[in-house]
Amino acid sequence: MTTSRTTPPEVTPVRRRWWRYVAVLLVLAGLLVVAGRVAWTYLDPTGERTIDRSQPVLLESLKDLSRFEAATGTFQVVVDLEKDANFLPDAIKGTRTLFVGAGGVDAYVDFSSIATNAVTVSKDRTEATIRLPHAQLEKPNLDNDRSYVFAQQRGLFDRVSDFLSGSPGDQRELYLLAEKKITEAAVASDLRARADANTKAMMTGLLKSLGFTKVTVKFTDEP
């Protein structure tokens, strides 16, 4: 007589049921994670918002301009500024910053300085002579969108100092140095000479449009 081993009828259904519960729990956990991330993204409880509490702009003064903007030069300079400690290596104390400064310089002629006898007209009103001052250079106007720090090396002490202060190093020195170098480049360029030529051409055309057939434009230092 032989006997056969049989699996109790309750074992397999119980195991299957247990795995179903686990699968349902995993699906629910995944849905909770997805819903949580969506809610976090939508609500953004740790996000920041910007509130502009600036005061209204105050108009301090008005003045009439009596000058001709004759030419504009666009300049770009790479400022390489390094600061070293006397007795410490650069890895401990010291900074080196590479800064791109970009901006424009305007050249203008100030008509308010023209003398009353600067314009002479012939008796038949066909000829006119005018004496003008030479062009001057305006202060460089740096473009903040095109001026930036593109490389910087800092020693350990400088990094710790910036971390404790909670703010990066002051960049005013970089902007001032870039303005100085751009000013020097503008002075050395032909910007003022081109402004003089443009002003001369403008005044010649203006006077001829008024009926003068012969126009002579001279500058104050010319005989």
Side-chain angles (χ1 to χ4, degrees):
M1 181 176 180
T2 60
T3 59
S4 60
R5 299 177 61 184
T6 58
T7 302
E10 298 181 355
V11 174
T12 300
V14 170
R15 289 181 178 177
R16 290 179 179 176
R17 194 176 305 163
W18 183 80
W19 281 109
R20 288 176 183 174
Y21 291 154
V22 172
V24 171
L25 291 175
L26 291 176
V27 172
L28 291 177
L31 291 176
L32 288 175
V33 171
V34 173
R37 294 193 63 177
V38 172
W40 183 278
T41 302
Y42 180 76
L43 297 176
D44 196 12
T46 61
E48 296 181 353
R49 62 174 182 169
T50 301
I51 302 176
D52 187 359
R53 301 186 187 278
S54 304
Q55 299 296 319
V57 178
L58 177 62
L59 177 61
E60 293 185 345
S61 64
L62 287 173
K63 63 179 181 179
D64 295 330
L65 295 180
S66 56
R67 65 183 190 180
F68 173 60
E69 300 288 342
T72 299
T74 302
F75 299 87
Q76 185 180 75
V77 60
V78 177
V79 176
D80 188 348
L81 184 62
E82 184 175 0
K83 294 184 178 181
D84 297 326
N86 291 330
F87 304 105
L88 294 175
D90 294 341
I92 301 299
K93 175 65 177 176
T95 61
R96 183 179 180 184
T97 305
L98 297 179
F99 175 79
V100 175
V105 178
D106 295 331
Y108 66 94
V109 175
D110 186 6
F111 289 156
S112 64
S113 61
I114 297 178
T116 56
N117 58 349
V119 180
T120 56
V121 179
S122 62
K123 292 182 179 181
D124 58 357
R125 301 189 61 82
T126 59
E127 299 182 11
T129 301
I130 182 171
R131 289 185 177 274
L132 300 176
H134 282 288
Q136 305 177 48
L137 296 180
E138 187 64 88
K139 180 181 178 182
N141 183 20
L142 289 185
D143 187 350
N144 292 329
D145 293 334
R146 297 170 53 217
S147 302
Y148 57 94
V149 174
F150 73 89
Q152 188 176 46
Q153 297 176 353
R154 295 177 296 170
L156 178 61
F157 286 175
D158 299 282
R159 292 178 181 273
V160 173
S161 177
D162 290 344
F163 176 77
L164 294 177
S165 64
S167 61
D170 192 357
Q171 296 183 358
R172 285 179 297 179
E173 185 178 5
L174 297 171
Y175 277 86
L176 291 175
L177 188 55
E179 287 183 358
K180 179 182 177 182
K181 291 183 177 297
I182 289 178
T183 299
E184 294 173 351
V187 171
S189 69
D190 64 341
L191 183 58
R192 285 182 295 184
R194 179 170 297 187
D196 286 342
N198 292 341
T199 304
K200 191 173 184 178
M202 185 273 295
M203 292 301 300
T204 300
L206 177 62
L207 293 176
K208 284 188 175 182
S209 68
L210 296 177
F212 295 98
T213 57
K214 183 180 179 181
V215 177
T216 302
V217 179
K218 295 184 178 182
F219 292 98
T220 53
D221 60 348
E222 294 180 355

